[in-house]
Amino acid sequence: MLPGSAAPAAGSGMFVPTQTVGTVLCCICGVSMQPNPANMCARCLRARVDITEGVPRHAAVVYCPDCASYLQPPRSWLRAGPESPELMQILLRRLNRPLARLRISLSGAEFVFSEPHSKRLRLKLRLRREVLHGVVLEQTHPVEFTVHDRLCDACARAQSNPDQWVAVVQLRQHVPHRRTFLYLEQLFLKHGQASLALRVASAPGGLDFFFSSRSHAARLVDFLTTVAPIRTQTAKQLVSHNTKSSVYNYKHTFSVEICPICREDLIALSPQVSRDLGGLGPLVLCIKVTNAIALLDPLTLRVHHLDEKKYRAYNFKAALTSKQLVEYIVLDIEHESPEITVDGSRYQLAYAQVARASDFGKNDTMFTVRTHLGHLLNPGDLVLGYDLYGANLNDDDMDTAMMRHSLPEVILVKKSYEKRPRTRRWKLKRLPVEEDGANKAKGEEEKRADEYEEFLRDLERNSEMRFQIDLYKDDDYRSEMASTIGDDIPSVPIEELIDDLSLGDDDEEEDGEDANAHAGMVS
């Protein structure tokens, strides 16, 4: 084989010459290089051609410090975090027009660190441009944006008049307690649904949420439809009208009424409703309330779900509520069937012999009832239930059920534990609700404190409720502060707790006003 020749191609018997790449000398510095249309090496070409000429090195961006949003000309405000993709998109839009005019393409961009209080945002761009007959150059180019603080229109209106709201959501439930609102408050905090509210005010029977935009109020209403059975009505009132521009300013009101059926309520179904639900009842317990109501027959363990439309068609009321629960002592328990799981909860039918705790030691009145709590109860336990034997009922459906059926004398609802003051290793966030002290009834503070304590006990007993909300570790909790608690008393596992964000003293002083606009901490 001759030197400089390649091996013969397989099956061809011919010799193919080796393809070699020729080199030329740079016309400026004389360095050997591969040929290109400019006949210049990359170093000389980069030294004589600046593809970033005409690209701005300084620009400005407008920032609203109250709502952390940036102005997108002409009048749009977009919320973006520091060094976020959204902020990168806002800044690059300011450079799109000069780059398109110079026919420069953007191949990459990244943030360069700048001090948070410098009011500067720095980007390093990688620009690409074709020069000198098809030669493409790529070069880095720094751009510095100056941040100018200016309140957006919504924040400016809120600063000038905090009560200048555009939409209000009036959330109401006609029940004698506030347990539903305590639970919804935690859902709002977890999902950030009340973060855009100008203020939250307490009202008789519920809460009022004031917003600077109708869309923010509508978003809260849409969220409520997914977590509670509600009925909504809307109204609007004309505030002002510009005859020249035909611009109308309205104040919008969303009236949201939550179904008055709550968890642990006892309901007596009418004969028509019982037939429509497949012979359920006539006595049922409400075991869960989401966007539908879950009704349990405690004697047969049948469960039926009612959405808001079906409930409004039947429109039944609670015969007895959780405020009327009576404490009983379990004397004996006899299981009737094995433990089963219904709708995600465990139940077991059993016969229990109980006596009222208030009558214990005074008389021999005992009741033998069928219950769905056979997997929880043991002789000597305390249990809460509805006393149908001595209750003064004012319900037509209950009277009808008593005449047509042989109803039990007691309906057991849940196991009770010894109530003693104790510390908890966890805490909850609370919404900053404005209270009207002038119209507050006597003893209202004690009533709300008792309801909140009962809500905390429900969270300890019900793991399904804890799954829907956020519980935070209490940094002030110390194990030696805890009182002696029995092993059977439920508590929250430490694995379910979230570390709370604690700010330093400097940050607290600088962000004091912002912190007042968000949720406070209550242990």
Side-chain angles (χ1 to χ4, degrees), residues 151-377:
L151 293 179
C152 63
D153 297 338
C155 295
R157 289 195 301 267
Q159 289 285 352
S160 60
N161 184 6
D163 199 32
Q164 192 173 2
W165 51 271
V166 176
V168 59
V169 178
Q170 299 175 344
L171 188 60
R172 299 291 185 269
Q173 187 183 32
H174 303 295
V175 292
H177 57 78
R178 299 178 66 88
R179 292 169 53 196
T180 303
F181 295 100
L182 292 174
Y183 179 66
L184 290 178
E185 178 183 10
Q186 300 304 316
L187 293 181
F188 293 156
L189 290 170
K190 180 175 181 178
H191 298 279
Q193 293 297 321
S195 59
L196 297 177
L198 298 177
R199 62 187 181 93
V200 183
S202 178
L207 297 172
D208 290 339
F209 296 85
F210 297 90
F211 296 91
S212 60
S213 172
R214 183 186 182 278
S215 61
H216 297 163
R219 191 177 73 169
L220 178 63
V221 176
D222 293 340
F223 175 76
L224 285 169
T225 58
T226 63
V227 297
I230 62 172
R231 179 172 58 182
T232 306
Q233 295 180 350
T234 60
K236 62 181 180 180
Q237 179 183 4
L238 180 64
V239 177
S240 62
H241 171 215
N242 190 333
T243 57
K244 296 182 178 180
S245 60
S246 297
V247 175
Y248 296 82
N249 293 325
Y250 291 96
K251 280 192 173 182
H252 302 269
T253 301
F254 295 82
S255 179
V256 181
E257 181 183 355
I258 306 176
C259 166
I261 302 299
C262 299
R263 193 170 57 87
E264 299 174 356
D265 284 355
L266 180 66
I267 304 162
L269 301 178
S270 64
Q272 179 63 38
V273 175
S274 180
R275 284 194 299 269
D276 293 345
L277 301 183
L280 190 71
L283 294 183
V284 293
L285 285 172
C286 178
I287 58 173
K288 187 189 302 183
V289 178
T290 55
N291 56 350
I293 305 171
L295 302 178
L296 169 71
D297 189 341
L299 304 182
T300 62
L301 299 186
R302 290 182 55 197
V303 176
H304 193 89
H305 295 267
L306 282 180
D307 57 13
E308 196 274 337
K309 290 184 178 180
K310 288 186 177 180
Y311 168 75
R312 295 299 176 184
Y314 299 135
N315 202 24
F316 48 77
K317 306 295 182 182
L320 293 172
T321 64
S322 58
K323 291 288 185 181
Q324 299 167 283
L325 288 172
V326 179
E327 192 173 53
Y328 291 85
I329 298 178
V330 179
L331 303 178
D332 192 13
I333 189 78
E334 181 180 351
H335 298 102
E336 179 185 358
S337 63
E339 181 178 336
I340 62 174
T341 301
V342 180
D343 198 29
S345 301
R346 296 183 302 163
Y347 301 106
Q348 184 178 15
L349 288 177
Y351 284 95
Q353 190 177 41
V354 298
R356 282 190 290 255
S358 59
D359 294 343
F360 199 70
K362 297 180 181 179
N363 53 51
D364 297 334
T365 304
M366 294 182 297
F367 307 96
T368 301
V369 295
R370 197 180 189 186
T371 179
H372 61 290
L373 304 177
H375 63 296
L376 295 177
L377 301 182

Side-chain angles (χ1 to χ4, degrees), residues 364-428:
D364 297 334
T365 304
M366 294 182 297
F367 307 96
T368 301
V369 295
R370 197 180 189 186
T371 179
H372 61 290
L373 304 177
H375 63 296
L376 295 177
L377 301 182
N378 294 302
D381 288 345
L382 298 177
V383 61
L384 295 177
Y386 291 111
D387 185 8
L388 303 183
Y389 177 78
N392 185 11
L393 302 174
N394 186 16
D395 188 272
D396 295 337
D397 294 333
M398 181 66 77
D399 296 339
T400 304
M402 286 184 173
M403 290 187 296
R404 295 192 175 192
H405 305 275
S406 177
L407 301 182
E409 298 169 321
V410 177
I411 298 292
L412 301 182
V413 177
K414 62 180 179 180
K415 186 176 179 179
S416 178
Y417 300 91
E418 183 179 358
K419 297 180 181 180
R420 64 177 70 178
R422 58 192 178 102
T423 58
R424 293 181 173 88
R425 68 178 69 190
W426 54 277
K427 58 184 176 181
L428 297 175

Side-chain angles (χ1 to χ4, degrees), residues 15 17 42 94 109 129 381 420 471 485:
F15 290 93
R94 308 300 298 270
R129 184 181 181 184
D381 288 345
R420 64 177 70 178
L471 281 69
I485 303 175

